[in-house]
């Protein structure tokens, strides 16, 4: 135990120190005034992107980053043929880093505002949002803007939200707020939840994603018209601007941009307060007993353990003795036949059920045509598992008949529900099916998976390998560790 603690502390120190070096190298490598950003990117082979940590933009996810902005930035670095170096900070620091040349691009869900245009340029608009006033659903809240001065509003310093409040003050002179120096609106949402402030402001796209993590919060009033979201780039860097423009034209034309939006925002439609609250309770009370089995199966079969746990939650709500009226059983709700096929002897044994379920997931994924890639591949596998592959194939035929893309989950998902209508199923090989069920099934699993990513976000600090450090870095490191 003691050794473990030391290991942990050592890992923590290493992370802190490596972050220090990363910060140092970022601050040292500011653009030289004689060289344009694009020249620097190509000469160094590195695109430096500043972002903001938020489930809607970028999450480090224990060293395996995810997020809409991360995916866009990654693709842009590939488009340029260079490495991506991404780091996160606050919105105001991100803009400063563009001004002083510390980063080449700010990909941070930034709103285009007139004030910002004075100090940075913007790439093409790739998303539209409105600003939402957020408060606790169980507390008194303003009915309209006239009542705002009676509430304690916390707003992110340097944000477009603050700019909006300043504009609003022209019409509501008593309007008051507290500009908070936080890294992200997540901290402000936490403050509203904990009742340190009564209201805050969050962009609509971010609230759609993060509301699931704060079931007590609600959107009360829309505070702005539609605002455009775009990347910030250094002023007058024409070549970089041209590259950014052509990159966005390309991903728009190929519908890659739409697919990324679908991946990160598309499925988030059904927010259920009670569902999220009971998920959190089960996460605390039931999951710990099985967690290591999910982790182990994840390692054994190269699947994210949180995904396996999400499937299991959808199947059994993490009840090891769950039984359905049709006779499926256990944490992963295997049928008798599936259990036999996977050599699972006791379906109510958590380890056997999880292990068998994980192997079965891989097996059903293999049935999906190879050209269909992750994540669509996974959604198809899950849907096929739920409704049967024949019916899934029928829905793909309907998709094709309508001139849509039968290899994209976002298209096929629209046609699955038609399998219950005679006009459609009578023309298909496998006949009638309750096609809206697999759609809901996949959506739920994606939701549970996101919730697990969120709830485990502060665990498992990555351990850095000392051997990757340069000699001076290692020297400093050991000096610090010895203190
Ligand atoms: N779009 C907001 C801005 O540009 C984002 C702020 C935030 O949510 O952190 O300031």
């Amino acid at each position: 135990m003691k050794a473990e603690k030391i290991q942990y502390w050592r890992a923590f120190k290493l992370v802190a120190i490596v972050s220090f070096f990363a910060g140092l190298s970022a601050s040292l490598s500011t653009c030289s005034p004689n060289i344009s950003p694009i020249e620097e990117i190509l000469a160094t082979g590195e695109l430096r992107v500043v972002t903001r940590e938020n489930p809607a933009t970028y999450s480090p996810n224990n060293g395996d980053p995810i997020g809409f902005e991360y995916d866009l930035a990654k693709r842009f670095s590939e488009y340029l043929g260079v490495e991506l170096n991404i780091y996160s900070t606050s919105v105001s620091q991100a803009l400063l880093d563009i001004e002083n040349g510390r980063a080449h691009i700010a990909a941070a869900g930034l709103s285009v505002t007139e004030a910002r245009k004075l100090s940075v340029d913007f790439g093409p608009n790739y998303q539209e949002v409105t600003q939402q006033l957020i408060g606790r659903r169980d507390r008194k809240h303003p009915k309209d803007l006239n009542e705002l001065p009676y509430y304690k509003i916390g707003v992110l310093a340097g944000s477009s939200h603050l700019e909006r409040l300043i504009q609003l003050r022209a019409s509501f002179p008593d309007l008051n707020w507290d500009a908070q120096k936080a890294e992200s609106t997540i901290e402000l949402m936490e403050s509203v939840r904990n009742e340190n402030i009564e209201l805050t402001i969050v962009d609509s796209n971010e609230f759609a994603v993060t509301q699931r993590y704060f079931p007590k919060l609600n959107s009360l009033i829309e505070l702005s018209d539609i605002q455009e979201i775009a990347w910030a780039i250094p002023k007058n860097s024409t070549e970089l601007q041209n590259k950014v423009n052509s990159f966005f034209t390309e991903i728009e034309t190929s519908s890659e941009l739409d697919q990324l939006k679908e991946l990160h925002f598309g499925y988030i439609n059904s927010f259920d307060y009670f569902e999220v609250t009971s998920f959190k309770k089960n996460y605390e009370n039931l999951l710990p007993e099985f967690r290591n089995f999910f982790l182990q199966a994840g390692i054994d079969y190269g699947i994210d353990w949180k995904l396996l746990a999400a499937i299991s939650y959808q199947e059994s709500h993490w009840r090891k003795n769950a039984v359905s009226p049709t006779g499926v059983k256990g944490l992963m709700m295997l049928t008798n036949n599936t259990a036999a096929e996977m050599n699972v002897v006791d379906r109510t044994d958590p380890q056997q059920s999880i292990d068998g379920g994980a192997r079965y997931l891989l097996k059903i994924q293999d049935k999906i045509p190879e050209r269909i890639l992750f994540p669509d591949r996974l959604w198809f596998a899950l849907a096929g598992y739920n409704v049967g592959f024949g019916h899934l194939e029928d829905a793909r035929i309907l998709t094709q008949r309508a001139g849509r893309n039968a290899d994209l989950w976002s298209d096929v998902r629209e046609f699955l529900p038609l399998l219950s209508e005679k006009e459609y199923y009578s023309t298909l090989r496998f006949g009638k099916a309750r096609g809206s069920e697999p759609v809901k099934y996949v959506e739920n699993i994606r939701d549970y998976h996101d919730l697990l990513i969120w709830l485990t976000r502060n665990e498992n600090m990555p351990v850095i390998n000392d051997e990757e450090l340069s000699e001076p870095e290692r020297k400093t490191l050991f000096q610090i560790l010895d203190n």
Side-chain angles (χ1 to χ4, degrees), residues 52 91 108-111 116 156 158-161 184-185 203 206 229:
R52 198 158 48 78
V91 71
L110 293 175
S111 308
R116 287 175 178 174
L156 196 67
S159 67
S160 54
H161 312 148
S184 103
T185 46
D203 285 344
E206 299 195 359
I229 299 290

Side-chain angles (χ1 to χ4, degrees), residues 202-231:
V202 178
D203 285 344
S204 51
N205 61 335
E206 299 195 359
F207 192 62
V209 175
T210 51
Q211 184 181 27
R212 295 171 296 165
Y213 313 133
F214 295 92
K216 291 203 166 102
L217 305 191
N218 212 0
S219 162
L220 309 171
I221 298 175
E222 197 144 89
L223 276 190
S224 74
D225 292 337
I226 287 181
Q227 299 200 311
E228 295 183 345
I229 299 290
W231 282 356

Side-chain angles (χ1 to χ4, degrees), residues 133-180:
L133 186 71
I134 305 298
R136 273 180 72 117
R137 57 173 72 229
D138 55 353
R139 294 289 179 267
K140 199 167 130 309
H141 39 76
K143 280 178 215 51
D144 54 40
L145 298 184
N146 290 307
E147 293 185 12
L148 273 190
Y150 307 116
Y151 289 82
K152 192 172 174 207
I153 309 178
V155 65
L156 196 67
S159 67
S160 54
H161 312 148
L162 180 58
E163 276 186 48
R164 179 67 187 142
L165 286 179
I166 294 169
Q167 278 174 359
L168 283 172
R169 186 134 75 182
S171 322
F172 304 92
D174 294 333
L175 196 56
N176 219 324
W177 59 80
D178 187 10
Q180 308 216 343

